[in-house]
Every structure is written in C-alpha cells, then in structure tokens.
Amino acid sequence: MRRAAALIAGGGPAGAAAAIRLAQGGAEAVVVERRAGAHDTVCGGFLGWDSLAALERLGLDPWALGAQPIDRVRLSAGSRIVEAPLPRRAAGLSRRTLDEALLARAAEAGAELVRGRTVRSADLGGRTLRLDGDEEMAGDALFLATGKYELRGAPRTGAAIESAPLGLRTSIPAPPDLAGHIELHLFDGGYSGLLVQEDGSANLCLSVARHRLKQVEGVDALIAELASESPLLARRLEETAGLEWEAVAGVPYGWRTHDSEEGVFRIGDRGAVIASLAGDGVAIALTSGLAAAEAFLEGGPGAAGAFQGSFGRRSNRPVGIAETLRWSAERRLPRAMAMTLFAAFPRLAPLAAKLTRIG
Ligand SMILES: Cc1cc2nc3c(=O)[nH]c(=O)nc-3n(C[C@H](O)[C@H](O)[C@H](O)COP(=O)(O)OP(=O)(O)OC[C@H]3O[C@@H](n4cnc5c(N)ncnc54)[C@H](O)[C@@H]3O)c2cc1C
C-alpha cells in the first residue's frame, strides 16, 4: 500500500494550502483531487482581505492572476438598494483560476498531486483512503479537505445535510456599473452574489432554501421567480437566456467541529462552514489548511486534536455572526429592518464585513 507522511483528500483551497505549507516544511504531502484539470465550482468568487493575505503567505499574487478589485458592497432587497464602502480592498477571482494556481504552487513546492482520482471512503482509525479502482493509500496523518462534498467514513457529525440550502452558479455578461462592487440580492429563503471576475464576465452565485426549489419546476423557473421579487436581479438577468448552472446540494452553513480523531486534520468546509453571504469560506479554507500544516510540522499526527479545538474556537465568531446575518437576510421583516439600519448607519455594513472575517 502506498504511504505518505501527509495524505490529503481534496485539492480545493484548503487541501492545496495545507499541501503547500507541508511541502515547504519538508513533509511528504500527497493530494488526491478528483478533478483532472481546471473546473468551475459553486462559489461566489469573492476574496476578502483575509483571503488575499493568506494567498500572499502561500506565495501567490491574486492580482497577477487577474483578480478584480472590489471596494464597495451593494445590497438590494425588493426595490431597495443600499451601498457602503468595504473596510478594506477585496477581490473577485474565479475558482477555476484560483484552484489551479494553488495546485500548481503545491506541485512547485514539492507536493505530489494525484489528479483525476476520487476518494471513495476514509478509514479514520487506520488513517487510510480508498480510491476508485479499489486502491488504498495510507498516511501518518490524514487531511480531510473534500469541502462541500460528503465523504464516506468521515461524516460531519450533527450537520443537517438533507435540509441544508442549495448552491447554484453561472456566468453572465458583466453590467458596467458592477465594477468595484460585490452586489448582494436578498430574497426569502436565500440571496445571490454578483461580481466581476478576471475574464471580464460576472460570476452569479446563489444560495437558496430547498423549499423554494420544490415550489417550482426546475432551476429556470426558480430563477424567474426570484427575479420577479428583485428588480435589480431581473435587470442583471436581462438577455441571458439559456444559462448553464452548476449546483451543489446540502451546504450545512453554521456547522463546525471542535475535535477530531488522532492524526486526522479536518480543514476548510470539513472543519467549519460559514454562510456564503459572508464571502469568507475561502479564507477559512486557506487559513485552516495553513494552520493544520503548521500544527503537523510542529507536533506530528498527535497535534490534530489541539489544532481542531483551536481552529473551532477561532471560527466561532465569524461563523456565528454570519449565521445571524443569514437568518435576517432570508426573512422578510428582519431583512427590511436590516436594510433600514444599513441605510441609516452606513458604517454597519463594513462592521458586519469585518466581524465575519476569520482574520
Ligand atoms: C453558494 C456559495 C457561494 C459561496 N461564495 C463564496 C465566496 O464568494 N467567497 C468565499 O470565500 N467563499 C464562498 N463560498 C464558500 C466556499 O466556496 C467554501 O467555503 C470553500 O470552497 C471551501 O474550500 P474547501 O477547500 O474546504 O472545499 P472545496 O472548495 O469544496 O474543495 C474541495 C475539493 O475536493 C475535491 N473533492 C471532493 N470530493 C472528493 C473526493 N471524494 N475525492 C477527491 N477529491 C474530492 C473537489 O473536487 C474540490 O476540488 C461559497 C459557498 C457557496 C455554497
């Protein structure tokens, strides 16, 4: 059986960040990633200043990858629109570009990439992964980084996956007044985010409660209904017939763990899932990947429990506040009150953005 010091399941931002730091620290790191090449993924593409700082620590320059600067947030609910400056510069960058750049950096640092292979299940006690083709791989430590996707043998205990929201993503032509903004459209049961990405198109990403999809026939009908509730979203979707959507089901916002098995590091969305409204999931993925790798380099596989406890505590504030914001955004009356507050006190929106960063 193939053995590595650090065996990483999943090569998204969390898995790649861990691989880069592990390889830089001299540990043998192997990443198993099911996608063979560049791909889109359900994500808003918003990189907060904490994501940008983590990328810099990993030796990547997001601006050189074409990231588009974002300095303002525009909130819309029904016919109301409120704008505010962000406390610091953020960016829009597609995950297609970001994930490939991170994996290339991991390979350059000396990590081994096993691409186009799927981990079918994990045995956490034995610290092994079973891959497609029935191949088994073992690690002194396992890094679980399959993100939004469930992994047999490594459940997110207590996460209400079946009732959790649905994520959808597509690209549309960027309207001229979107430059420099992250635009959020709030509606009953969810919200959508829109920003300009590196190729000049706009990334449109939605989080929607399942009951909204069940009430209509398919995604196109859902989008038409949401547009009828949000004039700004309707305007953005004018002349965009035949959109192709990527989807992910069961994103358990608010879930996090504070412990793990000996030698098992749970990173990114496997450790803490922040509401996508906050736009901080990539920062949590990068930061937890880096912190887990540091913990392993210092303390070996036995450091997993302490890492998980400390990262769980660190994620409590941003994840908890993001849940409160999501709760308010998805309900008519709290949403109306929040819009009134944001309009009256323009410093509240940047404060909310600040408090939902992992830092
Ligand atoms: C609708 C929506 C919008 C969002 N918008 C934003 C945003 O704008 N900004 C932000 O910061 N965060 C956003 N997020 C959150 C962000 O996408 C996640 O927090 C982040 O992607 C987590 O990174 P990760 O590396 O843990 O997992 P992922 O990004 O999910 O990566 C997991 C990787 O593992 C691979 N994989 C999965 N299963 C297997 C397997 N069995 N075998 C091998 N490989 C496997 C996948 O192919 C993937 O490459 C959003 C989330 C949603 C749902």
Side-chain angles (χ1 to χ4, degrees):
M1 187 193 309
R2 171 76 204 279
R3 211 183 163 86
L7 184 53
I8 304 168
I20 294 170
R21 187 66 200 98
L22 286 163
Q24 285 172 340
E28 182 196 16
V30 177
V31 184
V32 185
E33 165 55 46
R34 68 178 175 182
R35 315 275 198 153
H39 59 276
D40 289 314
T41 194
V42 177
C43 185
F46 178 84
L47 298 177
W49 43 98
D50 47 354
S51 289
L52 298 173
L55 288 171
E56 204 175 299
R57 273 182 71 194
L58 291 160
L60 276 184
D61 177 359
W63 308 111
L65 296 172
Q68 299 293 301
I70 296 178
D71 295 307
R72 295 181 68 78
V73 56
R74 180 182 290 143
L75 288 169
S76 100
S79 54
R80 295 185 74 181
I81 297 179
V82 175
E83 274 202 34
L86 289 173
R88 288 175 64 183
R89 174 160 279 185
L93 184 67
S94 77
R95 288 289 302 276
R96 166 180 281 272
T97 296
L98 177 66
D99 289 19
E100 281 309 297
L102 280 164
L103 284 174
R105 183 87 190 91
E108 194 183 284
E112 184 185 335
L113 307 184
V114 179
R115 298 201 63 172
R117 302 291 306 278
T118 299
V119 179
R120 293 286 173 216
S121 62
D123 171 1
L124 302 186
R127 294 183 213 162
T128 58
L129 299 179
R130 185 169 292 280
L131 275 55
D132 46 8
D134 239 15
E135 185 189 345
E136 248 191 313
M137 292 178 82
D140 298 341
L142 289 185
F143 289 72
L144 301 181
T146 56
K148 305 169 181 79
Y149 308 94
E150 294 311 308
L151 179 60
R152 199 180 312 148
R156 284 184 279 201
T157 308
I161 303 290
E162 290 74 26
S163 57
L166 177 85
L168 293 165
R169 193 211 76 87
T170 193
S171 293
I172 62 173
D177 64 342
L178 185 62
H181 291 76
I182 169 69
E183 191 170 284
L184 295 170
H185 320 111
L186 314 179
F187 44 79
D188 285 350
Y191 45 85
S192 57
L194 188 69
L195 52 71
V196 183
Q197 50 193 3
E198 70 279 8
D199 64 358
S201 68
N203 187 75
L204 176 64
C205 197
L206 293 87
S207 171
V208 193
R210 290 205 185 192
H211 69 85
R212 295 242 30 186
L213 185 61
K214 279 192 193 138
Q215 286 160 2
V216 291
E217 297 235 332
V219 172
D220 288 342
L222 172 69
I223 300 300
E225 190 173 276
L226 298 179
S228 75
E229 296 166 20
S230 166
L232 184 58
L233 179 60
R235 227 166 57 223
R236 299 318 194 194
L237 289 167
E238 272 167 13
E239 295 169 38
T240 57
L243 292 174
E244 285 183 15
W245 295 92
E246 284 137 52
V248 63
V251 187
Y253 296 135
W255 179 86
R256 53 206 181 273
T257 185
H258 291 81
D259 52 40
S260 192
E261 296 76 1
E262 166 110 3
V264 179
F265 295 81
R266 296 165 188 266
I267 54 178
D269 279 2
R270 307 305 304 179
V273 188
I274 191 165
S276 51
L277 183 71
D280 212 44
V282 170
I284 287 185
L286 298 171
T287 310
S288 61
L290 271 162
E294 301 277 2
F296 176 83
L297 291 170
E298 268 179 36
F307 155 76
Q308 216 67 59
S310 114
F311 204 80
R313 285 190 297 281
R314 194 172 164 189
S315 60
N316 278 340
R317 191 205 62 208
V319 174
I321 292 176
E323 275 305 281
T324 306
L325 293 173
R326 180 171 80 93
W327 186 90
S328 311
E330 292 184 347
R331 287 163 180 81
R332 195 172 300 265
L333 203 58
R335 182 168 65 240
M337 285 166 65
M339 289 295 281
T340 302
L341 275 173
F342 284 138
F345 304 101
R347 295 171 85 107
L348 278 181
L351 180 66
K354 220 179 195 164
L355 291 175
T356 48
R357 298 305 103 188
I358 190 77

